[in-house]
């Protein structure tokens, strides 16, 4: 039987609807959540993502500002802008779209953002809080994956989750998030990477397989066990002359073959992508709630 499709678009719409109500309440109390997004350079995918994030803010009633800079922007100028936004009262969340041009240190950028406005959950303070099992900002894509699993009835608790990829945006933070002894986690987690031997032997054990290594259609039906739940984080551009843009997006999973054996699977596009944006909005609302609570306590 073909797999159930886990519809990230639909689930993210439900989350955004409930955020709208929270935002209305905040507005009644005189607070408007605000997000500042910074884009340096002209990476086409990053431009698309930043535009999508700004549009999503507008739709739910979050105030947003987008700062676009040429790739020649000196690192010091970017750090100055972040400092200004850290102090700006109308801004509760700051994100710098990655990757930045190579001359700009992503580490310095992350460290420059006030952890209280770090809606990406990348600052070492927030990463440390997460590893300690304390409430904090969690990175948007891993958080979106966790929500997708829960809201599609695939609670990871007690399951063997195999993550393909140890990248800083997905695999690395997702593993500790899912093995913690908390609601919606409590899984046994294996992370596979370029040093993994007998990959097939491990992927075949997965109850839940998360593909996040950035290789188009890498996961095929022979690599998974029947009944597996598959989360595809890949967004690889493949040339396609039949589309207007000249390309189409494909995941890290060979959807056509894997969907014949899986119990459930996320599509690309329309799976994890919309959830990442919904979680960014959710983190921005959370930042606004926390910063306004702190201000009224002053
Ligand atoms: N580039 C790819 N994913 C992300 C993300 O979640 N946040 C930021 N800031 N940049 C990204």
């Amino acid at each position: 039987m073909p797999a159930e499709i886990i519809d990230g678009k639909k689930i993210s719409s439900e989350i955004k609807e409930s955020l709208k109500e929270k935002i209305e309440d905040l507005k009644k109390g005189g607070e408007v959540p605000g997000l500042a997004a910074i884009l340096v350079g002209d990476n086409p995918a990053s431009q698309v993502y930043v535009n999508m994030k700004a549009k999503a803010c507008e739709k739910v009633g979050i105030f947003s500002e987008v700062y676009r800079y040429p790739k020649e922007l000196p690192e010091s100028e970017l750090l100055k802008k972040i400092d200004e936004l850290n102090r700006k009262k109308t801004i509760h969340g700051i994100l710098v779209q990655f990757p930045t041009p190579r001359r700009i240190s992503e580490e310095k950028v992350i460290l420059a953002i006030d952890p209280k406005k770090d809606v990406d959950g990348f600052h070492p303070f927030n990463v440390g809080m997460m590893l300690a099992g304390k409430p904090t900002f969690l990175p948007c894509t891993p958080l979106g994956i966790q929500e997708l699993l829960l809201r599609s009835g695939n609670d990871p608790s007690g399951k063997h989750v195999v993550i393909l990829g140890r990248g800083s945006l997905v695999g690395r933070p997702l593993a500790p998030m899912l093995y913690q002894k908390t609601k919606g986690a409590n899984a046994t987690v294996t992370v596979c990477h370029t040093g993994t031997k007998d990959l097939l032997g491990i992927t075949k054990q997965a109850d839940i397989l998360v593909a996040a290594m950035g290789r188009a259609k890498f996961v095929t039906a022979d690599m998974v066990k029947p009944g597996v739940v598959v989360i595809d984080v890949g967004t690889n551009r493949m040339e396609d002359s039949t589309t207007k843009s000249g390309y189409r997006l494909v995941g890290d999973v060979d959807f056509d073959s894997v969907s014949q054996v899986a119990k459930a699977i996320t599509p690309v596009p329309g799976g994890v992508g919309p959830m990442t944006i919904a979680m960014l909005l959710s983190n921005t609302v959370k930042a606004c709630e926390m910063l306004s609570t702190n201000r009224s306590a002053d």
Side-chain angles (χ1 to χ4, degrees):
M1 203 170 65
E4 172 205 334
I5 307 297
I6 303 177
D7 188 344
K9 236 171 141 177
K10 180 163 170 276
I11 296 174
S12 67
S13 294
E14 288 161 10
I15 294 170
K16 286 189 273 189
E17 278 309 309
S18 61
L19 282 176
K20 271 189 196 168
E21 289 171 25
K22 270 193 181 180
I23 293 164
E24 277 310 308
D25 286 346
L26 280 164
K27 285 184 176 171
K28 280 180 200 149
E31 292 284 347
V32 182
L35 176 74
I38 302 177
L39 175 62
V40 188
D42 49 14
N43 179 314
S46 293
Q47 285 175 351
V48 171
Y49 290 137
V50 167
N51 290 340
M52 281 164 70
K53 287 172 183 179
K55 217 160 136 191
C57 281
E58 195 188 329
K59 276 200 176 151
V60 295
I62 292 176
F63 163 71
S64 74
E65 292 175 340
V66 179
Y67 297 91
R68 294 182 173 83
Y69 297 108
K71 60 179 184 307
E72 296 79 19
L73 180 80
E75 186 183 78
S76 57
E77 289 296 313
L78 176 58
L79 298 178
K80 220 158 79 187
K81 187 72 203 174
I82 293 171
D83 187 46
E84 182 192 312
L85 293 168
N86 280 340
R87 284 180 278 114
K88 192 166 178 176
K89 291 271 191 291
T90 53
I91 291 298
H92 306 94
I94 302 168
L95 85 86
V96 177
Q97 187 66 28
F98 292 138
T100 51
R102 233 183 294 153
R103 280 178 314 98
I104 293 178
S105 154
E106 292 190 350
E107 194 185 338
K108 278 193 194 163
V109 166
I110 290 169
L111 281 171
I113 296 173
D114 182 341
K116 292 195 278 306
K117 296 192 177 185
D118 172 34
V119 284
D120 263 326
F122 293 163
H123 193 286
F125 175 82
N126 289 322
V127 175
M129 289 288 277
M130 184 261 279
L131 290 174
K134 306 268 188 241
T136 187
F137 289 116
L138 296 170
C140 303
T141 301
L143 194 55
I145 292 170
Q146 192 178 29
E147 280 292 331
L148 267 185
L149 288 170
L150 288 175
R151 289 174 185 250
S152 63
N154 295 294
D155 191 329
S157 182
K159 300 280 164 45
H160 185 189
V161 179
V162 174
I163 301 171
L164 303 183
R166 58 181 159 188
S168 57
L169 296 178
V170 186
R172 205 179 302 170
L174 181 63
M177 278 171 63
L178 291 185
Y179 66 58
Q180 280 176 2
K181 197 173 178 182
T182 52
K183 192 173 160 281
N186 203 31
T188 301
V189 180
T190 304
V191 181
C192 298
H193 44 75
T194 46
T196 299
K197 298 215 168 74
D198 188 24
L199 184 67
L200 207 73
I202 299 171
T203 57
K204 273 190 167 290
Q205 291 175 34
D207 301 313
I208 297 172
L209 183 71
V210 180
M213 69 294 201
R215 289 177 64 180
K217 298 188 178 195
F218 180 84
V219 178
T220 46
D222 58 315
M223 293 173 70
V224 299
K225 79 175 172 195
V228 64
V229 173
V230 179
I231 304 292
D232 189 352
V233 192
T235 48
N236 309 286
R237 285 183 176 205
M238 261 189 142
E239 273 185 34
D240 185 344
S241 57
T242 66
T243 66
K244 215 168 102 190
S245 58
Y247 70 86
R248 72 190 158 95
L249 281 187
V250 298
D252 288 352
V253 176
D254 177 31
F255 183 90
D256 291 343
S257 73
V258 175
S259 62
Q260 295 305 309
V261 289
K263 171 185 168 234
I265 186 167
T266 60
V268 176
V272 174
M275 292 299 290
T276 298
I277 294 184
M279 294 302 110
L280 173 69
L281 304 178
S282 170
N283 278 350
T284 304
V285 170
K286 182 170 152 177
C288 178
E289 286 172 340
M290 282 165 42
L291 285 165
S292 56
T293 307
N294 285 351
R295 251 179 241 149
S296 44
D298 282 346

